[in-house]
Amino acid sequence: MATFLLRNATLIDGTGNAPIHDAAVLVDGETISWAGPAAAIPTTSAGAVTIDVGGNTICPGFFDCHVHFSLPGPNGSPLEMAMRPASYRHFELIQRLRTTLENGVTTARDLMGIDAGVRDAVAAGLIEGPRLLVAINLLSQSCGHADFHLPCGPDLTPLVGGYLVDSVAAARKRARELIREGADVIKVASSGGVASPHDDPTWLGMRRKMIAAIVEEGQNYGGRRVAAHAQGLAGIRAAVDAGVHSIEHGYALDDELCHQMVAQGTFLVPTLLETMTPVTATPAGAAKSAKWHALSHESIARAASAGVKIAVGTDAGLNPDHGSNLKELGLLVRFGGLTPMQAIVAGTRTSAQLCGVDDALGTVEAGKTADLVVVRGNPLDDIDSVGDPDNILMVIKDGRTVGNRGGFATA
């Protein structure tokens, strides 16, 4: 693979340090070999292909830690999915992966719906997409968030990626099966949800003993991490007490739980982008979304103020459209009170820490994998600009250009 030098740039390296103006990044194959001020470019850059990025900003490749590539977002529904052959849905999936990558997300954690084969196909270069971590299923009890038995008879649970377990023994067994099937992370539903047909976010979902059993299995089988769909207070408390690694959504977080999460090192993935689109499939769903989405905006501010580690996730595929992922950064500033720099760190280094890949990803530093995004202008001046795909000028993954809207020429 080529050695190339990105120069004439501002560098925001994902560490939270001040930007470096008139910066350069040297890439050797799949690896960043040097990054810093242009005045200190090493002699090892001699002979490297030079890419002038026009004074724009280089950031690390961004993460989305909560996506559903199998779901259509605003362009369809599970019922419409059921009317399509599986082969057709696979081609839709390929398009969603490519769009997400080209819009600046180089690593994504899919928390329900795709299997390890999709992850491996991306890794092998058979299809273009973000580097993937997969959960395969969402585990809940009957009548819980993953139960998509419809009153008219059809059971859409397997189609959307749900799996029902109703005892500690069943939870342990399914956790081990998922690990055997290649899951990188295990997802549970410890509360009801806004979009699910049978419950409410206030309802307690999977009980603490079941979640703790899954956490134990994950730890004992390769250190797999556990993510919890947890919206209502009871569900968040059960998941945090059971030792999960991340709370997804966290709409009803209170001060006590925030402090407990800080003490335990539990991450929050607030998925604010999902809250910007009301659920309108039923009047009950619309009422639920109006109430709980408003609560979520208060919760993220509370968590950020308490020092909870915040990673970026969007629920893309549920309500948000695939490829709109980086709009989340502006929402973290608007509702969470994060600074633009803190939002970028949340979407890079902190997300890499949550996913357990921060040794190789999440910052622009020598020795790290060359995942880089060139953003138009300076995103610290307008963080919302990152959420506009037109401003994602270049995307590099594993040292290879996978998107070049900026039309940057090599010399």
Side-chain angles (χ1 to χ4, degrees), residues 304-322:
S305 178
V308 174
K309 293 185 289 188
I310 294 170
V312 164
T314 62
D315 234 342
L318 182 63
N319 291 333
D321 202 3
H322 297 284

Side-chain angles (χ1 to χ4, degrees), residues 19-102:
I20 299 174
H21 301 287
D22 191 17
V25 177
L26 182 63
V27 175
D28 186 1
E30 298 182 0
T31 305
I32 298 166
S33 61
W34 178 87
I41 293 173
T43 57
T44 54
S45 67
V49 173
T50 297
I51 302 174
D52 184 330
V53 299
N56 294 296
T57 300
I58 300 172
C59 296
F62 289 98
F63 284 65
D64 190 332
C65 297
H66 192 131
V67 299
H68 299 290
F69 283 113
S70 67
L71 298 180
N75 302 309
S77 70
L79 280 175
E80 290 173 316
M81 289 168 56
M83 301 300 291
R84 299 286 194 185
S87 56
Y88 186 95
R89 298 198 302 272
H90 274 295
F91 286 109
E92 290 183 310
L93 171 65
I94 289 170
Q95 179 59 39
R96 294 166 190 158
L97 289 164
R98 182 184 300 115
T99 298
T100 301
L101 176 63
E102 291 176 350

Side-chain angles (χ1 to χ4, degrees), residues 330-361:
L331 298 177
L332 289 173
V333 173
R334 175 180 171 189
F335 295 113
L338 277 67
T339 66
M341 179 66 85
Q342 289 171 332
I344 290 172
V345 172
T348 55
R349 184 180 65 181
T350 307
S351 291
Q353 291 169 342
L354 168 60
C355 294
V357 295
D358 53 303
D359 59 331
L361 298 167

Side-chain angles (χ1 to χ4, degrees), residues 144-145 191-203 229 231 288 292:
H145 186 57
S191 81
V194 171
S196 43
H198 299 300
D199 58 21
D200 184 88
T202 57
W203 294 10
H229 163 99
Q231 295 180 344
K288 279 200 290 185
W292 288 95

Side-chain angles (χ1 to χ4, degrees), residues 93 113 164 244 248 391 408:
L93 171 65
L164 307 182
V244 302
E248 312 294 314
N391 293 324
F408 298 120

Side-chain angles (χ1 to χ4, degrees), residues 231-249:
Q231 295 180 344
L233 185 65
I236 301 171
R237 182 177 291 116
V240 173
D241 285 347
V244 302
H245 298 84
S246 64
I247 295 296
E248 312 294 314
H249 315 302

